[in-house]
Amino acid sequence: QKEVEQDPGPLSVPEGAIVSLNCTYSNSAFQYFMWYRQYSRKGPELLMYTYSSGNKEDGRFTAQVDKSSKYISLFIRDSQPSDSATYLCAMSTGGGNKLTFGTGTQLKVEL
Amino acid sequence: GAVVSQHPSWVICKSGTSVKIECRSLDFQATTMFWYRQFPKQSLMLMATSNEGSKATYEQGVEKDKFLINHASLTLSTLTVTSAHPEDSSFYICSASGQNTEAFFGQGTRLTVV
């Protein structure tokens, strides 16, 4: 069993839809949770960074962490074609520690 | 967010030669830098972790004599692929983090060995 599980997709949604991306994990030592967006042939871009259970909102993005269920989510509201990318969840046992990534979910937002 | 600059963005080299990739943190001190490798349609695979002034810690299966990592300052780490072969062709990405902070990634380097 992988430490971090993420559905690779692809996920295709119409413009304006709410997108829900999810990861589950097995290592209860993970305390820091991140979501990255990666466009083709580019490095990952940090979208959200959280270290406590609950919700964190930033613009159209909301990150949700449920440590009791070992489950994290990223919601994208009013999705745009420019949101089409691969979204990677990542987690670590401490700030500055190495990250363990999910496989990434490929998202396509269509006009 | 913080800026991490990786150079070059792409490189083509002949089999048997060595290639150096630089990773710089432009606006913060990176106490730890990570080097990843990514194959098409796959996630990032951690190769090694380096702390400034210390030897890098390599993940299992990564040849330390082939992938030389130097982290001589708080703003610069280098990865040298020695005696490169076609199977080393990949997308290499660095990330940098400060003390107890999130990690920021460079733009990546696409290496093609011919």
Side-chain angles (χ1 to χ4, degrees):
Chain A
Q1 182 189 9
K2 291 181 182 178
E3 278 193 294
V4 180
E5 298 277 358
Q6 184 177 9
D7 186 338
L11 177 62
S12 185
V13 301
E15 184 179 9
I18 297 175
V19 176
S20 172
L21 304 166
N22 312 293
C23 288
T24 58
Y25 62 97
S26 57
N27 187 351
S28 58
F30 287 138
Q31 297 296 320
Y32 291 78
F33 306 90
M34 286 134 279
W35 285 96
Y36 289 87
R37 177 174 62 195
Q38 186 177 26
Y39 293 110
S40 181
R41 297 172 180 258
K42 300 288 185 184
E45 172 192 6
L46 180 66
L47 290 176
M48 301 289 281
Y49 174 70
T50 61
Y51 51 84
S52 58
S53 283
N55 293 354
K56 180 178 181 180
E57 189 173 321
D58 184 0
R60 295 186 296 114
F61 300 95
T62 299
Q64 191 173 79
V65 174
D66 182 347
K67 290 186 179 180
S68 62
S69 301
K70 298 189 179 67
Y71 187 89
I72 67 171
S73 300
L74 177 71
F75 299 96
I76 307 173
R77 290 184 298 281
D78 188 25
S79 56
Q80 304 294 310
S82 58
D83 294 328
S84 298
T86 296
Y87 289 80
L88 297 150
C89 66
M91 36 199 90
S92 72
T93 56
N97 291 359
K98 70 176 184 180
L99 299 179
T100 301
F101 282 89
T103 53
T105 299
Q106 186 180 352
L107 171 68
K108 185 173 183 181
V109 180
E110 298 178 321
L111 289 168
Chain B
V3 178
V4 175
S5 176
Q6 189 173 339
H7 177 81
S9 56
W10 62 271
V11 58
I12 301 173
C13 71
K14 290 185 177 180
S15 187
T17 61
S18 295
V19 174
K20 181 184 282 189
I21 302 170
E22 290 189 349
C23 182
R24 292 180 185 273
S25 58
L26 299 184
D27 54 1
F28 70 103
Q29 293 187 325
T31 50
T32 308
M33 286 192 172
F34 305 88
W35 287 94
Y36 296 85
R37 185 173 180 175
Q38 187 177 35
F39 290 104
K41 298 188 184 296
Q42 293 189 23
S43 191
L44 286 76
M45 299 297 294
L46 180 65
M47 298 174 66
T49 303
S50 75
N51 294 295
E52 184 262 341
S54 302
K55 287 185 177 180
T57 301
Y58 290 80
E59 295 298 301
Q60 193 172 12
V62 178
E63 299 176 60
K64 62 180 181 180
D65 294 330
K66 182 169 184 62
F67 299 99
L68 301 179
I69 291 171
N70 183 281
H71 190 171
S73 77
L74 284 171
T75 59
L76 174 65
S77 176
T78 60
L79 166 68
T80 302
V81 183
T82 63
S83 187
H85 288 94
E87 57 265 31
D88 298 324
S89 299
S90 189
F91 193 54
Y92 292 87
I93 312 173
C94 70
S95 76
S97 67
Q99 198 81 20
N100 295 317
T101 68
E102 59 268 45
F104 296 93
F105 283 81
Q107 308 95 311
T109 298
R110 181 157 303 280
L111 170 63
T112 303
V113 185
V114 297

